[in-house]
C-alpha cells in the first residue's frame, strides 16, 4: 500500500467513527495506524482478527472511499484506543506530527500540535523545574487523566511545591515515553470521568503505542538556541518484529536526550562584595532562569502474543532514567549575607539542586472472547523514584559552630527521596447486542478495577537539614518522613445506542470507593444527531471527580530565599492545622458541551465546541502565612503554606479546528489546518482567609486564555515544507508569593513561527532543517520594580507558555528500514 493510500485510510478511519478532529500540522496525513498494519498482515497470513477484535478506528477502514461525519463502531475492550463515542470529541495527533514539531519530548510536541494544551518551559523554581506540567482547557494538570493504550498511567513523585503555575500539582509525566514508540495520541476534550476514568475533569490523553510487525526507524537531531547556548542532542530508534505467524508483534523503542542549560536571568542587583570590588564586579552571575542541564534515557516495549484457544497475552512497559541539575538562587559574598562561607565561595555561591529519577511501568494482561463478550484482564504496576541532592552548596551553620559537630567544608548533600507507586488490577468486558426494535446494535462496555497507591518521603542526611540547612535546598528533615497508602475500588458501565438511524445516545456511570475518603458516583449523558453524512451536532452533560493525590496530602518542602524560608507543609500536620488547615476533600465537577462536526466538501473537515466547566472544592496551595519562629526539627521558619480546598471555579470556553487537503497534479499536495482554543477561568467563591492575589492569579491567568494556530504542509516530490504560525494570548506573571514580587505583571500576546524543510535523497532517508520560534521572539520584559524584588533574576516570566529562550534551530536525519 502506498504512503498516500495509508494516509487516506487513516484519515477515513478517524472520520468514520465520528470523533476525528485533525490537529494542526501534519497529523492526519502522516501514517496509517501501525495497528492497521498488524491486522492487514494477519489477514494476509490467513489468520484474520475478527471484526469485533479490531479497534474502532480500524474497523472503519473497510470502505475507504466513504467519508462519514457520524457513525459509531463497536467499543471493544480489545482496542488500545479510548472508547470512541461519537458523542464525544477526540482529537487525534499522530506520531508523525509529534516529530514534525521539532520537539524532543512528547509533552512539548503535543502542546505545540494541539491548541487546547499549554505547557510552561519552566513550571516553577527549585524541584518544580524538573518535570513539565500540562494544562488541558485551562485546568490543573491533575484534572487530566493520562492513559497508555487505554489503561491508566501512574502519576509521578514530583509534587510541584514551589510557587508558580500549576502550584501544588502532582501529575503523570508523559515525557518519560520515547517519542518514536508512539503511533498516535488521542486528546479527549470532554470532562468525561464516567466514560474514561476518575480525574478526567478537563479531559483525557490516551497515548497509543505502535503495534507494527516489521521495520523500524533511526532518528538523530541536534539543536541549539540563537543565543548560542542550550545545545541538545537527541537520538531515538524503534524496531518491530512479528511473534509467530498468527498476528503477534513486538515493538521496541528507545530515546536518549542530552540538554545543556540556558541562561536568561538578569544582572544581579544587590551587593556582590564589600568595598571597591563591588563597583567593578561582573553581575552576570545568576543562572536560576533557564532550562536545566538534563539527560533523559527512555525505553519501551509493546508486545502481543496469541496463546491459542482464543487467548492473547499482551505486555506494555516503559523505563526511564533522568538526571537533572537546576540552578537555585545565587548567594553573594557580602558581610551581611550569613548564608555564604567566604572560605568556600570567595566569589559567591551558585548552588544547584540535583535529581536522579528512575521511572518504571509495566502493564500485562490477557484478552479473550468468551460467553459472547470480549474480555480484558490486566495488572499494571508503576513506580517513580526521585532522589534529590544539593551541590556547589554549603551549610553555613556548620562553619559558624552553633553546636554542630560536622564537616564545615562539605559542599554536596543528600536531600532524601520521593517515591510513588501504583498497582492496578482490573477486568473489562464489552459486547454488541442486537435488539430488533432499535435501528442499530446496543454497545455495552463495563468493568471493575482495584488500585493500591503509595507515596513515600525519606529523610536526607543530617547535614542537609540541620541548622540553616544546605544552601539553597535543605534536605528532608525527620518531620518530612512519610509513608502513606490507599486502596481504590472502582466500577463502571457505558451504553451506546441509536434511537433512530441518525440519533445516537451515550450513557455512562462510574462508582469509586477510596479507603481514605468517601464513595463517589459520576455520570455522563451524551447525544449526537447526524443530519446526513456531512453534518452533525452533539451535546454532553458530565459530572466528574478528582481526589487529592497522596503527595498533595503529605508532601513537605522547604524553599529558602536570602534572609527567609518558606515551607510547604502537609495539610494534615499539626503546624498546618494551627493555621486553619482541614482535611482535604476531592474536587467535584460538572460540565456541559455542545458541538458540531462537519465535512462540507470532500477533503475539508470542521469541528467546533462550546463548553462550561464548574469545579467545586478546587484544590491548590494556600497563601503564605507569616511564622517567623524557630520550630523544632525545621529550624527558623519565616512562613508556611499548605494544600487545601480553596475555590469554586467556572470555565467558559470553546474550540474550533479545521483542515483542508488539496491535491494538485503539478505542484504536489497541500494540507491547510487551523485551530483555536479559548478558556476563561473565573472564581465563583473562595476561602478568603486562605487565598491572596498571588494564589488567585495562578488559577485565573497563569496560562493564556486563548491560543490560535494555522499551518500548511506542502509535499512535492522529494521535498516537504511545514510552516506553522501560533498566537498566544496574554497571561499574568507574578515573581513571588509574597513581598514586592506579588505584583501582577501582564505578558503581552505573541506570534510564534515554526518551520521545517525536509528532503529525501532516497525513499527511506530523510534529512531536515527547522526552527522553533523562527523570529526569535522573547516574552515581555518584566517591569524593573518586580525584577528588583528578586535581585534581577526575573528578567522574563519563568512560566511563559512559549518559553523565554528565544529562537531554536535544529537539524535532523532519519532512516526507515
Amino acid at each position: 500500500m502506498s504512503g498516500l493510500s495509508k494516509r487516506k485510510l487513516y484519515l477515513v478511519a478517524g472520520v468514520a467513527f465520528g470523533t476525528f478532529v485533525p490537529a494542526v500540522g501534519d497529523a492526519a496525513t502522516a501514517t496509517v495506524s501501525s495497528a492497521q498494519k498488524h491486522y492487514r498482515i494477519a489477514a494476509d497470513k490467513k489468520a484474520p482478527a475478527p471484526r469485533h477484535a479490531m479497534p474502532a478506528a480500524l474497523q472503519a477502514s473497510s470502505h475507504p472511499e466513504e467519508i462519514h461525519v457520524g457513525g459509531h463502531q463497536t467499543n471493544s475492550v480489545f482496542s488500545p484506543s479510548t472508547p470512541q463515542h461519537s458523542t464525544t470529541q477526540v482529537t487525534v495527533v499522530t506520531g508523525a506530527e509529534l516529530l514534525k514539531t521539532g520537539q524532543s519530548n512528547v509533552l512539548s510536541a503535543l502542546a505545540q500540535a494541539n491548541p487546547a494544551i499549554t505547557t510552561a518551559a519552566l513550571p516553577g523554581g527549585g524541584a518544580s523545574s524538573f518535570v513539565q506540567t500540562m494544562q488541558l482547557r485551562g485546568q490543573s494538570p491533575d484534572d487530566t487523566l493520562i492513559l497508555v493504550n487505554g489503561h491508566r498511567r501512574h502519576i509521578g513523585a514530583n509534587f510541584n511545591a514551589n510557587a508558580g503555575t500549576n502550584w501544588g500539582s502532582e501529575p503523570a509525566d508523559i515525557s518519560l515515553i520515547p517519542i518514536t514508540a508512539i503511533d498516535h495520541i488521542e486528546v479527549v476534550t470532554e470532562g468525561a470521568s464516567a466514560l474514561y476514568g476518575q480525574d478526567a475533569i478537563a479531559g483525557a490523553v490516551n497515548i497509543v503505542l505502535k503495534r507494527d510487525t516489521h521495520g523500524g526507524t533511526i532518528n538523530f537531531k541536534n539543536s541549539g538556541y540563537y543565543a548560542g547556548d542550550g545545545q541538545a542532542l537527541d537520538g531515538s530508534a524503534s524496531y518491530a518484529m512479528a511473534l509467530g505467524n498468527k498476528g503477534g508483534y513486538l515493538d521496541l523503542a528507545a530515546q536518549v536526550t542530552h540538554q545543556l542549560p540556558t541562561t536568561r536571568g538578569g544582572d544581579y542587583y544587590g551587593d556582590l562584595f564589600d568595598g571597591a570590588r563591588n563597583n567593578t564586579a561582573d553581575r552576570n552571575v545568576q543562572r536560576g532562569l533557564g532550562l536545566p542541564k538534563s539527560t533523559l534515557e527512555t525505553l519501551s516495549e509493546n508486545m502481543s502474543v496469541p496463546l491459542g484457544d482464543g487467548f492473547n497475552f499482551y505486555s506494555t512497559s516503559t523505563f526511564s532514567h533522568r538526571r537533572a541539575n537546576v540552578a537555585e538562587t545565587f548567594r553573594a559574598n557580602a558581610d551581611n549575607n550569613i548564608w555564604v562561607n567566604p572560605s568556600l565561595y570567595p566569589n559567591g555561591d551558585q548552588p544547584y539542586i540535583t535529581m536522579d529519577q528512575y521511572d518504571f511501568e509495566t502493564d500485562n494482561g490477557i484478552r479473550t472472547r468468551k460467553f459472547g463478550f470480549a474480555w480484558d484482564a490486566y495488572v499494571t504496576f508503576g513506580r517513580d523514584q526521585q532522589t534529590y541532592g544539593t551541590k556547589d552548596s554549603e551549610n553555613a551553620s556548620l562553619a559558624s559552630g552553633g553546636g554542630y559537630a560536622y564537616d564545615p567544608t562539605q559542599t554536596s548533600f543528600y536531600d532524601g527521596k520521593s517515591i510513588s507507586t501504583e498497582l492496578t488490577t482490573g477486568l473489562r468486558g464489552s459486547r454488541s447486542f442486537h435488539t430488533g426494535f432499535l435501528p442499530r446494535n446496543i454497545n455495552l462496555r463495563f468493568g471493575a478495577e482495584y488500585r493500591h497507591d503509595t507515596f513515600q518521603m525519606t529523610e536526607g542526611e543530617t547535614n542537609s537539614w540541620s541548622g540553616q540547612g544546605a544552601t539553597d535546598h535543605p534536605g528532608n528533615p525527620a518531620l518530612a518522613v512519610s509513608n502513606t497508602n490507599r486502596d481504590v475500588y472502582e466500577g463502571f458501565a457505558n451504553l451506546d445506542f441509536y434511537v433512530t438511524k441518525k440519533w445516537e445516545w451515550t450513557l455512562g456511570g462510574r462508582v469509586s470507593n477510596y479507603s481514605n475518603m468517601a464513595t463517589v458516583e459520576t455520570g455522563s449523558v451524551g447525544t449526537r444527531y447526524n443530519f446526513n453524512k456531512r453534518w452533525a451536532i452533539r451535546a454532553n452533560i458530565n459530572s466528574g471527580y478528582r481526589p487529592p493525590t497522596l503527595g498533595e496530602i503529605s508532601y513537605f518542602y522547604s524553599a529558602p530565599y536570602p534572609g527567609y524560608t518558606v515551607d510547604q507543609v502537609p495539610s494534615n500536620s499539626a503546624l498546618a492545622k494551627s493555621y486553619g488547615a482541614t482535611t482535604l476533600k476531592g474536587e467535584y465537577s460538572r460540565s456541559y458541551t455542545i458541538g458540531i462536526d462537519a465535512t462540507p466538501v470532500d477533503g475539508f473537515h470542521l469541528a467546533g465546541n462550546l463548553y462550561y466547566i464548574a469545579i467545586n472544592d478546587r484544590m491548590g496551595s494556600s497563601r503564605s502565612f507569616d511564622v517567623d519562629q524557630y520550630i523544632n526539627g525545621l529550624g527558623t521558619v519565616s512562613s508556611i503554606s499548605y494544600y487545601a480546598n480553596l475555590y469554586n471555579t467556572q470555565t467558559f470556553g470553546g474550540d474550533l479546528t479545521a483542515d483542508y487537503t488539496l491535491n494538485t497534479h503539478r505542484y504536489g499536495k497541500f494540507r491547510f489546518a487551523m485551530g483555536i482554543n479559548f478558556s476563561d477561568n473565573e472564581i465563583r467563591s473562595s476561602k478568603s482567609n486562605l487565598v491572596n492575589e498571588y494564589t488567585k492569579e495562578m488559577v485565573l491567568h497563569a496560562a493564556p486564555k486563548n491560543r490560535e494556530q494555522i499551518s500548511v504542509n506542502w509535499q512535492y516530490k522529494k521535498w516537504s515544507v511545514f510552516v506553522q504560525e501560533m498566537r498566544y494570548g496574554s497571561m499574568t506573571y507574578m515573581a513571588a508569593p509574597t513581598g514586592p514580587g506579588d505584583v501582577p505583571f501582564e505578558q503581552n500576546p505573541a506570534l510564534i513561527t515554526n518551520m521545517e524543510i525536509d528532503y529525501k535523497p532516497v525513499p527511506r532517508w530523510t534529512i531536515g532543517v527547522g526552527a522553533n520560534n523562527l523570529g526569535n521572539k522573547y516574552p515581555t520584559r518584566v517591569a524593573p520594580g518586580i525584577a528588583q524584588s528578586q535581585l534581577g533574576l526575573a528578567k522574563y516570566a519563568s512560566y511563559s507558555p512559549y518559553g523565554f529562550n528565544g529562537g531554536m534551530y535544529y537539524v535532523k536525519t532519519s532512516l526507515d528500514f
Side-chain angles (χ1 to χ4, degrees), residues 535-556:
W535 295 90
I537 59 171
R538 47 184 160 72
N540 289 273
I541 301 174
N542 299 286
S543 63
Y545 177 76
R546 197 270 287 186
T549 68
L550 295 177
E552 289 166 347
I553 294 173
S554 58
Y555 197 89
F556 173 90

Side-chain angles (χ1 to χ4, degrees), residues 72 74 432-436 438-443 496-498:
H72 177 80
T74 301
S432 181
F433 295 92
H434 180 67
T435 62
L438 292 178
R440 302 190 187 188
N441 289 350
I442 295 177
N443 295 305
D496 193 283
F497 56 92
Y498 281 78

Side-chain angles (χ1 to χ4, degrees), residues 41-90:
I41 291 169
D44 292 342
K45 295 182 178 180
K46 297 182 180 181
R51 183 172 177 82
H52 60 252
M54 294 184 185
L58 309 183
Q59 298 171 12
S61 63
S62 58
H63 301 288
E65 276 71 41
E66 296 181 3
I67 297 179
H68 299 274
V69 174
H72 177 80
Q73 303 298 327
T74 301
N75 291 321
S76 172
V77 294
F78 290 169
S79 171
S81 296
T82 51
Q84 302 295 347
H85 306 285
S86 62
T87 57
T88 301
Q89 177 171 306
V90 179

Side-chain angles (χ1 to χ4, degrees), residues 749-815:
L751 290 171
I752 305 295
T753 304
N754 305 313
M755 184 174 183
E756 180 175 304
I757 302 174
D758 294 327
Y759 177 72
K760 287 182 176 290
V762 296
R764 294 181 179 270
W765 179 31
T766 304
I767 56 177
V769 297
N772 290 331
N773 193 355
L774 183 67
N776 199 31
K777 175 70 175 179
Y778 280 88
T780 311
R781 284 287 295 262
V782 172
I786 298 175
Q788 181 100 28
S789 69
Q790 292 191 330
L791 300 178
L793 175 60
K795 186 176 179 180
Y796 304 110
S798 59
Y799 48 84
S800 167
Y802 57 89
F804 47 77
N805 290 292
M808 182 194 79
Y809 64 88
Y810 61 88
V811 295
K812 67 179 187 178
T813 183
S814 63
L815 179 65

